[in-house]
């Protein structure tokens, strides 16, 4: 990489360079801004999004129309929320309340509520 | 250090993708039909056990589907593409350099990983993909890609093998039974053209082929045959192909919702297929020099006929307008009226890289026209990307009912459309 010789005039448009070079202009640097994916999606290949339907978990802060972020790869603890397949529907449940034969489909890693 | 290859091959891939969001269909017969419900393109093991062959025409098997309770889906390529990318992403976390061979197969080269027990490793990878992505895979491990493919086939077909077969750790003698079980038509690189030739020589399976004298293999099948014999004997000739290989052809085809002899409908189909192929050319930064249009009547009705019209483009192009105009012109010139057309295909071949064009040109190429249309179509593609596939299309691209693929049985685009996410009930 050679930033010592910056062009004063480019061929197709006049562009005068001076002062401190903008580090963000160099595409090789990683993006500087925070990325919500980094916060919410730990494992992109095993993360699936679901739409919440129903009001039964409103007291837990999970509302109708919210988007649930489900990680199939994560290992769930007893207090974690999980997705189970029951009577031909995906349902939300607390891991410790599952019957031994009920295998969770994935773990709820976040719920996104948009206003 | 000699190479060690693993082939990760998804089982009944399209069906497995559908089952991720329909767990009640595990252990039930399921088929996926081609995008306009013409024929079977993926079958669950239960559907295979019912004797439904690959490529089976759906209308012929409707009674079987009904009586046996076979669940049918129209192909949902957005979903399959996304699941495929997830698997690739998961595999690149094991080792960054992988060869994505097809939508449901990837080769890995393992020699740098220092694995002690390949079966244990394979089982761990299999479990991880099944748990995290939700799709079952079979894994074959061997010193060559051709043998890895044999191993994967055996792992899938032999009920005593638990979806992972390590031929790497076996001596040639111990590998022999697996080669013996592999018919030549199942060997990677043996096409329908070569298979009868080999049978005529008394070669019926991979073991027979591995015993063939290399010189004889070469005289029969060219250098490719010699490599195949070496690969079956554990000598790797085909390295991992990491770089994106330039495509040689682009083919798009569709069946008509109803057979038609109306040239306006056929013309619209050719335009629409050309537009899709042209989009693909632009994405891959390629230009087509030649093309063929194929039209055919219904194979399953008496009097089956096929027509083809070839076109050479004076200026290699990826401009939907130029491509479809030439193809329609050629089809119109030779199409005879009164024939009910069932299917249209367009094939573009003799493809050149956009960047390589300067070297290829012979003087009759109009570069200014080329760059004008390039700029125009980049704009069209970006608008269509943002607002949906056919926001801007050529006037001849018809969007009438006859032409639209039947998508009655398509599952939601669970992972690629915000308004089609799977529902989680509280």
């Amino acid at each position: 990489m050679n930033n010592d010789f910056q062009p004063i005039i480019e061929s197709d448009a006049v562009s005068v360079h001076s002062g401190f070079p903008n580090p963000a202009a160099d595409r090789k640097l990683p993006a500087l801004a925070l990325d919500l994916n980094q916060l919410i999606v730990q494992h992109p290949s095993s993360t699936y999004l679901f739409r919440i339907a129903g009001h039964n978990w409103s007291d837990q802060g999970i509302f109708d129309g919210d988007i649930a972020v489900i990680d199939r790869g994560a290992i769930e603890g007893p207090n974690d929320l999980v997705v189970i397949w029951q009577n031909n529907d995906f349902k939300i449940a607390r891991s410790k309340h599952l019957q031994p034969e009920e295998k969770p489909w994935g773990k709820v890693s976040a719920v996104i509520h948009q206003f | 250090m000699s190479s060690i290859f693993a082939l990760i091959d998804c089982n009944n891939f399209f069906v497995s993708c559908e089952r991720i969001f329909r767990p009640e269909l595990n252990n039930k017969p399921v088929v996926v039909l081609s995008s306009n419900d013409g024929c079977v393109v993926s079958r669950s093991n239960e559907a295979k056990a019912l004797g439904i062959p690959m490529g089976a025409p759906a209308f012929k098997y409707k009674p079987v589907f009904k009586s046996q309770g076979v669940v049918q889906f129209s192909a949902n390529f957005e979903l399959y593409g996304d699941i495929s990318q997830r698997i690739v992403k998961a595999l690149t976390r094991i080792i960054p350099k992988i060869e994505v061979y097809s939508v449901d197969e990837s080769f890995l080269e393992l020699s740098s990983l220092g694995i002690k027990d390949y079966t244990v490793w394979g089982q761990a990878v299999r479990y991880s993909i099944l748990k995290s992505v939700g799709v079952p895979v079979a894994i074959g491990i061997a010193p060559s890609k051709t043998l890895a493919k044999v191993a994967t086939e055996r792992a899938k077909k032999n009920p005593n093998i638990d979806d992972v077969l390590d031929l790497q750790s076996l001596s040639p003698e111990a590998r022999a039974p697996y080669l013996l079980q592999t018919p030549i038509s199942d060997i990677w690189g043996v096409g329908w053209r070569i298979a009868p030739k080999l049978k005529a020589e008394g070669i019926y399976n991979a073991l027979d082929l591995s015993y063939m004298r290399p010189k004889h293999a070469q005289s029969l099948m060219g250098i490719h045959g010699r490599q195949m014999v070496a690969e079956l004997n554990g000598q790797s000739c085909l390295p991992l192909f990491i770089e994106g290989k330039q495509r040689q052809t682009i083919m798009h085809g569709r069946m008509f919702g109803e057979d038609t002899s109306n040239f306006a409908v056929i013309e619209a189909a050719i335009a629409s297929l050309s537009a899709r192929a042209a989009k693909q050319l632009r994405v891959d930064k390629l230009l087509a020099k030649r093309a063929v249009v194929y039209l055919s009547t219904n194979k399953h009705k008496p009097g089956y006929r096929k027509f083809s019209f070839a076109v050479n483009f004076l200026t290699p192009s990826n401009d939907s307008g130029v491509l479809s105009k030439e193809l329609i012109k050629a089809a119109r010139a030779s199409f005879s009226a009164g024939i009910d057309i069932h299917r249209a295909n367009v094939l573009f071949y003799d493809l050149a890289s956009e960047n390589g064009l300067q070297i290829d040109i012979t003087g009759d190429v109009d570069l200014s026209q080329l760059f004008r249309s390039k700029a125009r179509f980049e704009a069209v593609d970006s608008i269509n990307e943002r607002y949906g596939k056919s926001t801007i299309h050529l006037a001849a691209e018809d969007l009438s009912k006859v032409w639209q693929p039947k998508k009655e049985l398509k599952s939601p685009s669970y992972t690629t459309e915000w308004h089609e996410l799977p529902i989680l009930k509280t």
Side-chain angles (χ1 to χ4, degrees):
Chain A
M1 203 169 14
N2 188 345
N3 284 333
D4 296 336
F5 301 101
Q6 300 205 358
I8 302 296
I9 294 171
E10 282 176 7
S11 56
D12 52 346
V14 179
S15 140
V16 179
H17 295 257
S18 62
F20 192 77
N22 176 3
D26 190 331
R27 272 191 249 151
K28 280 177 186 153
L29 288 176
L32 300 171
L34 294 172
D35 180 1
L36 275 176
N37 276 314
Q38 194 190 354
L39 181 74
I40 293 170
V41 181
Q42 264 84 35
H43 309 113
S45 58
S46 60
T47 297
Y48 292 94
L49 303 178
F50 282 65
R51 182 77 63 182
I52 299 283
H55 304 273
N56 294 331
W57 283 73
S58 301
D59 54 347
Q60 307 278 326
I62 298 171
F63 300 98
D64 187 58
D66 285 359
I67 287 175
V69 181
I70 311 300
D71 189 349
R72 277 186 65 105
I75 297 158
E76 61 281 344
N79 282 316
D80 284 326
L81 293 178
V82 292
V83 172
I84 54 164
W85 179 254
Q86 199 179 55
N87 304 326
N88 285 347
D89 280 318
F90 287 111
K91 293 214 171 98
I92 202 162
R94 186 78 62 189
S95 179
K96 62 182 168 198
H97 297 147
L98 295 187
Q99 302 300 315
E101 72 278 6
E102 284 181 314
K103 289 272 172 283
W105 189 93
K107 179 189 147 178
V108 181
S109 52
V111 174
I112 301 166
H113 181 78
Q114 281 179 297
F115 294 98
Chain B
M1 195 186 228
S2 49
S3 300
I4 301 162
F5 294 98
L7 175 63
I8 285 77
D9 186 349
C10 304
N11 302 348
N12 316 329
F13 181 57
F14 297 168
V15 166
S16 297
C17 291
E18 299 290 351
R19 280 175 167 171
I20 296 174
F21 296 100
R22 298 283 300 275
E24 86 277 16
L25 298 180
N26 289 329
N27 309 318
K28 298 228 170 78
V30 179
V31 295
V32 172
L33 307 176
S34 57
S35 54
N36 44 0
D37 300 349
C39 50
V40 173
V41 292
S42 181
R43 303 162 295 160
S44 72
N45 290 344
E46 299 76 14
K48 289 176 188 174
L50 290 173
I52 299 164
M54 192 65 168
F59 77 91
K60 253 191 191 170
Y61 281 84
K62 286 278 165 188
V64 179
F65 294 163
K66 210 170 169 190
S67 66
Q68 303 291 334
V70 178
V71 179
Q72 304 159 62
F73 287 97
S74 292
N76 181 348
F77 289 114
E78 293 87 353
L79 174 65
Y80 312 152
D82 175 59
I83 302 300
S84 173
Q85 284 174 6
R86 287 166 182 264
I87 293 166
V88 168
K89 207 179 277 174
L91 292 175
T92 50
R93 280 172 40 150
I94 299 169
I95 187 159
K97 285 188 175 174
I98 78 169
E99 175 184 342
V100 181
Y101 180 69
S102 71
V103 69
D104 57 357
E105 294 166 291
S106 292
F107 284 106
L108 279 60
E109 203 281 300
L110 308 176
S111 60
S112 63
L113 295 183
I115 295 163
K116 288 203 179 68
D117 185 328
Y118 289 100
T119 306
V120 170
W121 175 86
Q123 288 296 351
V125 171
R126 184 186 139 73
Y127 174 77
S128 157
I129 305 260
L130 182 59
K131 167 99 169 77
S132 65
V133 182
V135 167
V137 299
I139 302 180
I141 300 132
S144 71
K145 281 160 84 175
T146 307
L147 273 181
K149 190 100 176 167
V150 166
T152 313
E153 285 299 311
R154 294 324 337 138
K156 282 207 253 188
K157 290 190 178 145
N158 192 331
N160 301 324
I161 303 172
D162 206 3
D163 293 300
V164 176
L165 179 58
D166 168 21
L167 293 181
Q168 173 69 30
S169 313
L170 299 182
S171 66
E173 295 72 36
R175 276 179 210 148
Y178 299 106
L179 294 181
L180 187 65
Q181 290 166 13
T182 306
I184 45 165
S185 52
D186 282 5
I187 301 170
W188 195 36
V190 175
W192 57 272
R193 255 183 249 272
I194 301 178
K197 276 197 213 169
L198 289 172
K199 280 185 188 155
E201 300 262 326
I203 291 166
Y204 293 100
N205 55 56
L207 190 62
D208 293 344
L209 188 56
S210 75
Y211 290 149
M212 205 173 184
R213 290 199 338 275
K215 260 194 184 160
H216 187 46
Q218 184 160 358
S219 70
L220 209 65
M221 298 174 278
I223 186 71
H224 171 70
R226 195 189 181 108
Q227 286 179 341
M228 204 146 52
V229 171
E231 286 245 319
L232 286 174
N233 284 296
Q235 295 148 25
S236 172
C237 304
L238 308 167
L240 212 59
F241 204 100
I242 310 277
E243 298 301 319
K245 191 178 167 189
Q246 183 182 318
R247 21 166 104 247
Q248 305 293 310
T249 61
I250 289 183
M251 169 102 144
H252 278 286
R254 273 297 160 84
M255 269 179 250
F256 291 99
E258 298 167 13
D259 295 359
T260 181
S261 59
N262 180 350
F263 192 75
V265 175
I266 295 165
E267 181 180 312
I270 294 172
S272 156
L273 293 170
S274 308
R276 275 204 289 152
K279 165 82 202 275
Q280 191 129 46
L281 288 168
R282 293 195 291 274
V283 167
D284 293 349
K285 302 203 183 308
L286 293 172
L287 302 165
K289 293 186 195 165
R290 295 155 192 257
V292 187
V293 184
Y294 300 95
L295 300 175
S296 60
T297 64
N298 192 337
K299 215 185 282 185
H300 303 286
K301 286 182 186 161
Y304 174 56
R305 291 184 66 184
K306 290 188 288 192
F307 309 88
S308 62
F309 319 104
V311 177
N312 286 332
F313 300 107
L314 210 55
T315 304
S317 179
N318 56 20
D319 179 326
S320 311
V322 173
L323 297 178
S324 63
K325 202 173 90 192
E326 294 294 321
L327 293 185
I328 289 167
K329 211 162 77 185
R332 181 180 291 130
S334 14
F335 181 70
S336 30
I339 294 166
D340 278 337
I341 298 301
H342 182 64
R343 188 178 177 88
N345 287 316
V346 298
L347 170 74
F348 291 92
Y349 66 107
D350 205 349
L351 308 180
S353 157
E354 269 182 2
N355 307 323
L357 183 69
Q358 285 87 336
I359 304 158
D360 291 348
I361 53 171
T362 48
D364 52 1
V365 173
D366 181 355
L367 279 178
S368 66
Q369 187 207 330
L370 180 71
F371 288 125
R372 246 200 327 275
S373 63
K374 185 171 182 313
R376 179 156 53 92
F377 275 103
E378 270 164 14
V380 170
D381 288 345
S382 72
I383 289 168
N384 283 347
E385 222 152 82
R386 202 165 313 157
Y387 300 107
K389 253 175 226 143
S390 295
T391 312
I392 298 184
H393 54 90
L394 295 175
E397 278 182 59
D398 161 286
L399 296 173
S400 76
K401 287 237 168 59
V402 185
W403 176 236
Q404 278 304 290
K406 303 182 219 159
K407 286 250 171 164
E408 294 150 22
L409 309 163
K410 187 175 159 289
S411 56
S413 299
Y414 298 111
T415 63
T416 54
E417 294 288 346
W418 287 108
H419 60 276
E420 296 184 28
L421 296 180
I423 299 297
L424 180 53
K425 292 201 174 165
T426 62

